[in-house]
Amino acid sequence: MESILTSIKKMLGIPQEYDAFDVDIIMHINSVFIVLKQMGVGPSEGFYIEDKSATWDEYIEDPIECNAVKTYMYAKVRLIFDPPQNSAHIECLKQT
């Protein structure tokens, strides 16, 4: 299955091999996992990543829910890490 870190970096437009922002992105991903846990999504004991070894299927098994979580994760990390300049785009990400 696909690496959580790698897939979020790909959606952010960051090459897999470029790791200068990995620590920052991991921190933001883990913050979103806390929000998802509060919403009742994912393992009841919580979940976090430390590197690119953690995969989506370790977090959530249902492929339909997994796709929704990926979209949500990308939107939230994008807003924190690299917010768009266009206010309409920001609003779209917020509504996700």
Side-chain angles (χ1 to χ4, degrees), residues 18-81:
Y18 188 76
D19 62 1
F21 298 114
D22 283 7
V23 172
D24 299 32
I25 296 169
I26 288 169
M27 177 180 59
H28 300 319
I29 288 170
N30 287 333
S31 294
V32 176
F33 277 135
I34 291 170
V35 173
L36 288 166
K37 180 180 181 282
Q38 292 171 340
M39 293 173 18
V41 178
S44 60
E45 66 275 2
F47 192 86
Y48 69 96
I49 68 169
E50 296 178 331
D51 54 32
K52 66 180 181 181
S53 66
T55 61
W56 287 107
D57 62 338
E58 292 173 338
Y59 174 68
I60 195 163
E61 293 181 10
D62 183 316
I64 295 170
E65 287 183 16
C66 186
N67 284 326
V69 167
K70 286 179 184 181
T71 300
Y72 182 83
M73 178 71 71
Y74 160 71
K76 297 306 177 189
V77 171
R78 173 75 194 272
L79 280 170
I80 299 167
F81 178 74

Side-chain angles (χ1 to χ4, degrees), residues 1-31:
M1 187 64 166
E2 187 177 26
S3 161
I4 294 170
L5 177 59
T6 301
S7 66
I8 295 300
K9 285 174 62 174
K10 179 180 177 185
M11 287 187 261
L12 291 170
I14 300 170
Q16 178 179 344
E17 60 278 353
Y18 188 76
D19 62 1
F21 298 114
D22 283 7
V23 172
D24 299 32
I25 296 169
I26 288 169
M27 177 180 59
H28 300 319
I29 288 170
N30 287 333
S31 294

